[in-house]
Amino acid sequence: MTATAPALTALAHGWCALSLLHGRIGSRLERVLQAGHGLSVREYSLLDVLSRQHDGAGGHLQMKQVADAVVLSQSATTRLVTRLEDRGLLLRYLCPTDRRGIYTNVSGQGLRLLEEARPTNEAALREALTEAARDSQLAPLVRAVEETGAPMTVPAA
């Protein structure tokens, strides 16, 4: 297959459209979350993912699971977690059954900030998707995002 084959061209155009939609949404969310709550998109995403991973009273994820959930390298995830821990938004502790494992969980302060930021995130996301839906190349992707309503969870380690 050559580089100009129609299927490859369509695939490349689809990827460009998806990348464009992701970039537009990410930029809008970054602006409003920083301005309104002092959170980056990655910080918000991490707090959100961790807040949804409850296993009984505490709820927690191992650091590898955290890295997978926020799509960062383990070293970048460690820096992100440390930053949020230093701000009092996250807690880290050793796994009670495997002393090599380190879990991460949202603190009470982190949960409060997340609850304050969720409406801001939702409104900015809705605005970004509404705007993108006006673009004929992005409209099918917007429909796909809107139809995918199940919350994302992190697979067990």
Side-chain angles (χ1 to χ4, degrees):
M1 183 180 280
T2 66
T4 58
L8 183 59
T9 302
L11 184 62
H13 286 304
W15 170 246
C16 286
L18 180 59
S19 181
L20 177 63
L21 179 61
H22 180 268
R24 286 184 183 180
I25 291 170
S27 293
R28 184 176 299 236
L29 293 175
E30 189 73 37
R31 279 192 312 273
V32 301
L33 288 171
Q34 278 291 349
H37 307 283
L39 288 171
S40 71
V41 171
R42 294 272 191 203
E43 291 167 340
Y44 175 88
S45 296
L46 178 57
L47 291 172
D48 185 55
V49 165
L50 288 173
S51 75
R52 297 173 191 275
Q53 303 303 315
H54 283 273
D55 178 24
H60 55 260
L61 290 177
Q62 291 181 341
M63 290 300 287
K64 182 186 179 332
Q65 293 171 291
V66 173
D68 291 345
V70 294
V71 193
L72 288 173
S73 67
Q74 287 204 333
S75 62
T77 301
T78 298
R79 289 189 301 273
L80 177 62
V81 167
T82 298
R83 220 172 33 246
L84 292 176
E85 186 179 34
D86 289 348
R87 291 174 57 190
L89 303 176
L90 291 182
L91 305 167
R92 276 192 273 198
Y93 54 94
L94 292 176
C95 171
T97 58
D98 179 1
R99 303 300 282 179
R100 296 169 297 169
I102 297 175
Y103 288 123
T104 305
N105 194 15
V106 184
S107 69
Q109 180 183 347
L111 287 171
R112 285 187 296 279
L113 180 59
L114 179 62
E115 290 308 311
E116 291 170 10
R118 271 198 175 118
T120 302
N121 184 73
E122 292 292 324
L125 182 56
R126 172 52 41 214
E127 290 168 11
L129 288 171
T130 298
E131 184 178 303
R134 295 185 196 114
D135 181 323
S136 62
Q137 289 185 329
L138 300 180
L141 294 172
V142 171
R143 283 192 297 277
V145 167
E146 291 172 336
E147 291 170 4
T148 307
M152 297 293 294
T153 58
V154 179

